[in-house]
Amino acid sequence: MEKILTEVFGIWYLIGAAFVFFMQAGFAMVEAGFTRAKNAGNIIMKNLMDFCLGTVAFLIIGYSLLMGQDFAGLVGWGESPLTDFAGTNWSSFTFNLVFCATAATIVSGAMAERTKFISYCIYSFVISLIVYPIEAHWVWGGGWLSSLGFHDFAGSAAIHYVGGLTALIGAWMLGPRIGKFDKDGTPRGIPGHSLTIGALGCFILWFGWYGFNGAAATNGIQLATIFATTTVAPAVATCTVMLITWIKYGKPDVAMCLNGSLAGLVAITAGCDAVNVFGSFVIGILSGCMVCFIVWLLDYKLKVDDPVGAVAVHFGNGLLGTICVGLFACGTDTMPEAQGLFYGGGFHLLGVQLLGLLAIGAWTVVTMFITFYIIKKTVGLRVSAHEEIVGLDKMEHGLESAYAGFALEADVPGDYLETIQDSSYTPSVELDDAVPTKVIHSDGSISKVVIITKVEKFDKIKTALNEIGIGGMTVTKVSGCGVQKGQTSYYRGAKVNMELLPKLKVEVVVSEVPVADVVKAAKKALYTGNIGDGKIFVYDVADVVRISTGARGKDALKYEE
């Protein structure tokens, strides 16, 4: 029976590795959704390549540094998976590889939308080659931290803290995106182009986290309790963020709540096997507060631009989760006696956890600062202002759009496909001439009436104009604002001043139908009494020429069978 159980959990170990690999898709979707459409292809490419480059780096030397024979508690050595197929533990290799890739992929979100692709490839390779393997050896490979009793079951410190700290260094050295901060330093929210994609990524990551935290479980009860704590902490963290943003901004912030879920997952990762459900509940509350605080700190005090919240989620909560082990560890299969400060274990474990964070942080800061500095002085770290404004999809990959075909296929005004800040086109819809339902005589002059209103009012204005005999119209999706310049909203805690809002422009040219009737019908259809109902402009038209017949003036406006 014991042999069977060993084999079962050995299989689960590899299934868990597959779960963790699937998290690459989650990271790609979160980062793509939280950034602008003009950089979506670049984000996808980076998330693809950090795993592929990481595999090469891990094969060459990374795995040996992590899992090789320990040398003075500092590094491993002796494993050679690239040349020794028969002698390599491929279960261990695959499992550790997907964790290594996770540490590398965290960085791309914080440095998104302004980093050179070649530079990303270089520093991602370095992370997988030496940075992650050496500090992970200290924790899991028999190194000096593990001998002291440092506890990081699934990687709050070894993976998320390292990835988040690297992201912080990189984002600081890069500088903010163009337009992120006003001249006085006030942060501006730059919404991502698809919260739907971002939410999909968040759910994928949450799903993958059950393998991330649970793959190393050694029995069914431990696996079940890990699943429980891995569920409770992110759920409570999300509720906490929802309440904080609701109270602070008047409405719950969707993007911040998604960050809250990830923050809870990161924070519980170190102690998922060592805390009970009450401990995970408290960790969830703390992580929700932490992610909100770090986002605010970066935007309003440190002026570090992190488009997706990677620093707040991974650095802040990797730090928090590692410390919380020293506070809430209550005793489990892998930790038979309660060692957390709040459970009577004293300060020893807490001190070890703090020492581990200090050592891992120092290693990461030194190696990654040197790496970024060398890149900056050689190939360069940041793209030019022109490349950033045009978008990395086009400038780095020759990709016109990651959504080719989507934007031009809409045949009715309505759902607009990307945020106004990203729009470089105004797709229009031409409605075929229709037979007037009735003719109302006027003085024969020709006038053009332009109606600017909300996109969702299309059906109402179309029906109203048809009822008074308007036989044709041109409808265009545009962007604009009036004196009010849109309502102030918040995105991840920073104000978003929507200077341009999605609008619908309806143009009609009339002769037989009195202009006054057009204006009256439009006002009746569109009026709500609120800001944003729209405006009506009336112009005199000197002449009209019908291309098909050559008719001019009001004759060009008449319907002919």
Side-chain angles (χ1 to χ4, degrees):
M1 177 62 69
E2 184 177 348
K3 182 179 180 181
I4 294 175
L5 289 175
T6 300
E7 291 181 355
V8 167
F9 277 94
I11 294 171
W12 163 245
Y13 189 67
L14 291 176
I15 292 174
F19 273 50
V20 178
F21 172 76
F22 188 48
M23 291 173 70
Q24 289 289 127
F27 279 113
M29 293 299 97
V30 167
E31 293 172 18
F34 279 23
T35 51
R36 290 168 287 186
K38 63 184 180 181
N39 300 308
N42 176 259
I43 291 293
I44 299 301
M45 186 67 171
K46 287 176 177 177
N47 279 268
L48 172 65
M49 293 313 301
D50 66 48
F51 182 83
C52 296
L53 289 168
T55 299
V56 175
F58 211 57
L59 272 170
I60 293 172
I61 195 174
Y63 181 68
S64 183
L65 292 174
L66 173 56
M67 298 302 294
Q69 185 175 353
D70 178 64
F71 179 75
L74 299 176
V75 296
W77 194 252
E79 297 287 337
S80 183
L82 188 60
T83 58
D84 184 10
F85 180 78
T88 298
N89 183 338
W90 291 106
S91 294
S92 175
F93 175 86
T94 304
F95 186 77
N96 283 285
L97 170 61
V98 293
F99 275 78
C100 179
T102 300
T105 201
I106 289 168
V107 185
S108 65
M111 299 176 67
E113 302 200 288
R114 72 267 200 212
T115 305
K116 286 185 176 182
F117 180 69
I118 182 63
S119 302
Y120 178 81
C121 290
I122 294 171
Y123 73 69
S124 182
F125 189 83
V126 172
I127 292 171
S128 298
L129 188 73
I130 58 170
V131 178
Y132 169 79
I134 289 178
E135 55 86 10
H137 176 79
W138 301 346
V139 179
W140 296 318
W144 67 278
L145 278 178
S146 61
S147 66
L148 291 177
F150 182 79
H151 190 88
D152 185 11
F153 187 75
S156 286
I159 297 172
H160 298 284
Y161 173 66
V162 169
L165 184 54
T166 301
L168 175 60
I169 298 167
W172 170 69
M173 293 185 70
L174 266 179
R177 290 168 293 173
I178 296 171
K180 172 61 181 176
F181 296 100
D182 292 335
K183 291 181 179 179
D184 63 357
T186 302
R188 295 179 59 193
I190 304 178
H193 80 281
S194 177
L195 274 178
T196 305
I197 292 176
L200 174 63
C202 179
F203 282 114
I204 290 174
L205 286 171
W206 195 328
F207 172 78
W209 229 286
Y210 290 114
F212 196 92
N213 284 358
T218 56
N219 59 67
I221 294 176
Q222 186 186 41
L223 180 60
T225 57
I226 288 173
F227 268 49
T229 56
T230 303
T231 301
V232 171
V236 173
T238 307
C239 293
T240 302
V241 173
M242 181 185 70
L243 291 174
I244 291 173
T245 57
W246 207 335
I247 293 169
K248 189 172 183 179
Y249 307 118
K251 296 179 181 178
D253 190 308
V254 180
M256 279 296 295
C257 285
L258 294 173
N259 277 161
S261 299
L262 301 179
L265 288 163
V266 170
I268 197 60
T269 295
C272 60
D273 69 317
V275 304
N276 57 25
V277 169
F278 177 77
S280 67
F281 189 96
V282 177
I283 290 171
I285 295 174
L286 295 175
S287 60
C289 295
M290 174 66 83
V291 72
C292 291
F293 170 72
I294 296 294
V295 167
W296 171 84
L297 181 68
L298 294 177
D299 276 355
Y300 287 90
K301 297 300 179 181
L302 302 181
K303 309 301 179 185
V304 174
D305 182 14
D306 178 4
V308 305
V311 176
V313 168
H314 299 280
F315 168 69
N317 287 283
L319 179 76
L320 173 69
T322 307
I323 293 173
C324 282
V325 174
L327 300 175
F328 297 103
C330 61
T332 63
D333 287 351
T334 55
M335 186 181 287
E337 296 181 3
Q339 297 183 31
L341 176 64
F342 297 152
Y343 285 81
F347 286 93
H348 175 73
L349 179 59
L350 179 60
V352 172
Q353 298 297 102
L354 292 172
L355 175 63
L357 286 170
L358 180 62
I360 293 171
W363 166 252
T364 304
V365 169
V366 171
T367 54
M368 290 313 303
F369 181 83
I370 292 173
T371 300
F372 285 132
Y373 185 80
I374 292 174
I375 293 172
K376 190 172 184 178
K377 295 299 182 181
T378 53
V379 298
L381 197 57
R382 182 166 181 154
V383 299
S384 68
H386 172 73
E387 290 172 317
E388 182 179 344
I389 292 170
V390 173
L392 302 189
D393 284 5
K394 182 175 178 64
M395 303 306 295
E396 290 275 48
H397 307 285
L399 184 66
E400 289 296 330
S401 171
Y403 299 96
F406 279 80
L408 300 180
E409 288 176 359
D411 57 2
V412 177
D415 295 334
Y416 41 94
L417 301 175
E418 51 184 273
T419 59
I420 293 304
Q421 290 89 339
D422 242 355
S423 296
S424 57
Y425 56 88
T426 53
S428 62
V429 180
E430 303 290 340
L431 302 181
D432 295 334
D433 289 347
V435 180
T437 56
K438 56 184 176 179
V439 176
I440 304 173
H441 295 285
S442 69
D443 60 3
S445 61
I446 303 173
S447 300
K448 178 181 180 181
V449 181
V450 178
I451 304 164
I452 307 294
T453 189
K454 295 178 180 177
V455 174
E456 60 267 24
K457 296 289 187 179
F458 173 66
D459 287 332
K460 286 189 175 182
I461 191 64
K462 180 181 69 173
T463 300
L465 295 180
N466 186 62
E467 288 176 353
I468 64 170
I470 299 299
M473 65 187 76
T474 300
V475 182
T476 312
K477 285 193 291 185
V478 297
S479 57
C481 64
V483 176
Q484 76 279 2
K485 296 183 180 179
Q487 298 179 353
T488 299
S489 58
Y490 291 87
Y491 177 76
R492 294 180 60 244
K495 289 184 178 180
V496 180
N497 187 13
M498 296 291 288
E499 297 177 355
L500 296 177
L501 301 173
K503 297 290 183 179
L504 191 72
K505 181 169 73 172
V506 179
E507 300 173 278
V508 298
V509 178
V510 295
S511 174
E512 301 296 334
V513 180
V515 171
D517 287 1
V518 178
V519 173
K520 182 179 178 181
K523 289 175 64 178
K524 183 178 179 181
L526 302 175
Y527 177 78
T528 66
N530 298 317
I531 292 175
D533 280 349
K535 294 182 177 65
I536 301 171
F537 302 89
V538 180
Y539 306 87
D540 290 330
V541 177
D543 199 2
V544 179
V545 178
R546 181 179 285 271
I547 296 174
S548 60
T549 65
R552 302 179 71 92
K554 63 182 181 179
D555 290 336
L557 299 178
K558 293 180 179 179
Y559 172 77
E560 297 179 0
E561 296 185 0

